[in-house]
Amino acid sequence: MTANDASTGQQPTATYDSAFLKACRREPVPHTPVWFMRQAGRSLPEYRKVREGIPMLESCMRPELVTEITLQPVRRHNVDAAIYFSDIVVPLKAIGLDLDIKPGIGPVVEQPIRTRADLARLRDLTPEDVPYVTEAIGLLTRELGSTPLIGFAGAPFTLASYLVEGGPSRTYENAKAMMYGDPELWADLLDRLADITAAFLKVQIEAGASAVQLFDSWVGALAPADYVQSVMPASAKVFEAVAGYGVPRIHFGVGTGELLKLMGEAGADVVGVDWRIPLDEAVRRVGPGKALQGNLDPTVLFTDKNTVEAKAQEVLDAAAGLEGHVFNLGHGVMPNTDPDALTRLVEYVHTHSAR
Ligand code: 1CP
């Protein structure tokens, strides 16, 4: 069987029994599983080669290319999971928003969403809007064998930050001004985005994704009380919408030390942690009943082998008392990272966590 049964989330046994999915379920594992956010991408010469001359958004819509790029880091690094190659703005492009991913900048929205009238541009997403996702995941699950595939989406706050600002921002001044100044419009915007995001994750799970990650990369810009009031309901709606599939749900953001507990309570099975807090402290904040993912500082990979190993061991030591641990970086692989350092890191984690 290549696709998940919509009612049970049933998967091929070898995939279900993989170290990655066991760790997400907080079951005993033969070794700590490891994958890297942004493991596919510019750190790999084979990625730069196949992407040559093809704009980012177009490459996300070509199933054979998506399949090849998703498999590249799995072949090279022996990671325990693949992550579907796409971008958080793909579902927004698919429902007809005029946006593009500009090289060296990121997602840019031609006409930002600022008023109630603008909300009408955010229609529901159906599987017919993203046939290339279903096709690529079908190809991938056949190629991947027992290696699980992680589907993903941007969380409502992080998507809203691009839509309201019109592009990348450091301050989120327009988005936060809407959140504070027009809470009803903000709530309606996030609710629309929750529906689109939930629909997009469902497409990926029904096509065969074994786990999903909700990227709320920029939500660390908020105070806990604002998170509870203005963001958590929408993120919780997304998690609730996919709860019935039984696939692990991972929730990640950057600079979220003060939000970790709430991000778990939003409905995650696994809470992603950046490098600012050690995992033994993170588990105290999150509380029982959740696995953790993380959290080596991605810049450590620019040092020598001994330093990388010492820092990786610190992460493993801090994770020793966890119910479930998925090793990852605290944020994505940086483009100038030496890919061989990543391969060696996978081997180190596997060897030094073997039980
Ligand atoms: O291998 C993988 O992990 C899949 C690749 C992936 C993922 C998970 C891409 C490809 N994008 C994403 C998600 C994504 N996109 C996030 C959440 C993850 C994170 O926090 O890193 C975010 C915030 C974006 C938005 C985005 N898209 C940015 C950041 C802009 C900012 O605000 O600073 C950028 C630069 C992009 C473009 C993009 N997405 C992916 C790639 C390989 C690229 C670069 C494309 C290019 O250079 O042409």
Side-chain angles (χ1 to χ4, degrees), residues 35-38 215 217-218 252-255 273-276 294-298 301 328-334:
W35 70 280
F36 304 117
M37 292 183 275
R38 301 258 178 148
F215 281 96
S217 301
W218 313 137
F252 169 78
V254 181
V273 183
D274 82 357
W275 62 90
R276 291 173 178 85
N295 69 343
L296 186 71
D297 186 334
L301 289 158
N328 206 313
L329 304 180
H331 196 188
V333 173
M334 300 166 87

Side-chain angles (χ1 to χ4, degrees), residues 38-40 47 51 56 83 86-87 101 107 162 168 215 217 331:
R38 301 258 178 148
Q39 62 191 14
Y47 169 83
R51 271 286 318 278
M56 177 63 193
I83 178 157
S86 183
D87 190 81
I101 295 180
Y162 289 106
F215 281 96
S217 301
H331 196 188

Side-chain angles (χ1 to χ4, degrees), residues 140-154:
L140 272 166
T141 46
R142 279 192 284 282
E143 293 280 331
L144 279 166
S146 63
T147 304
L149 176 70
I150 304 168
F152 76 89

Side-chain angles (χ1 to χ4, degrees), residues 128-210:
E128 291 72 42
D129 293 316
V130 286
Y132 44 87
V133 174
T134 304
E135 191 184 335
I137 292 183
L139 294 170
L140 272 166
T141 46
R142 279 192 284 282
E143 293 280 331
L144 279 166
S146 63
T147 304
L149 176 70
I150 304 168
F152 76 89
F157 175 82
T158 290
L159 291 178
S161 77
Y162 289 106
L163 290 181
V164 180
E165 299 297 335
S169 169
R170 282 173 178 275
T171 55
Y172 316 105
E173 58 209 54
N174 296 290
K176 289 174 74 174
M178 186 194 288
M179 183 181 88
Y180 291 124
D182 192 345
E184 274 180 29
L185 175 60
W186 173 259
D188 289 348
L189 169 60
L190 262 66
D191 192 64
R192 288 271 61 232
L193 292 171
D195 289 342
I196 293 162
T197 298
F200 190 58
L201 289 178
K202 283 182 185 178
V203 170
Q204 296 176 67
I205 298 168
E206 290 189 12
S210 299

Side-chain angles (χ1 to χ4, degrees), residues 201-231:
L201 289 178
K202 283 182 185 178
V203 170
Q204 296 176 67
I205 298 168
E206 290 189 12
S210 299
V212 287
Q213 177 155 324
L214 193 64
F215 281 96
D216 212 349
S217 301
W218 313 137
V219 78
L222 297 185
D226 292 325
Y227 180 79
V228 169
Q229 191 179 336
S230 306
V231 173

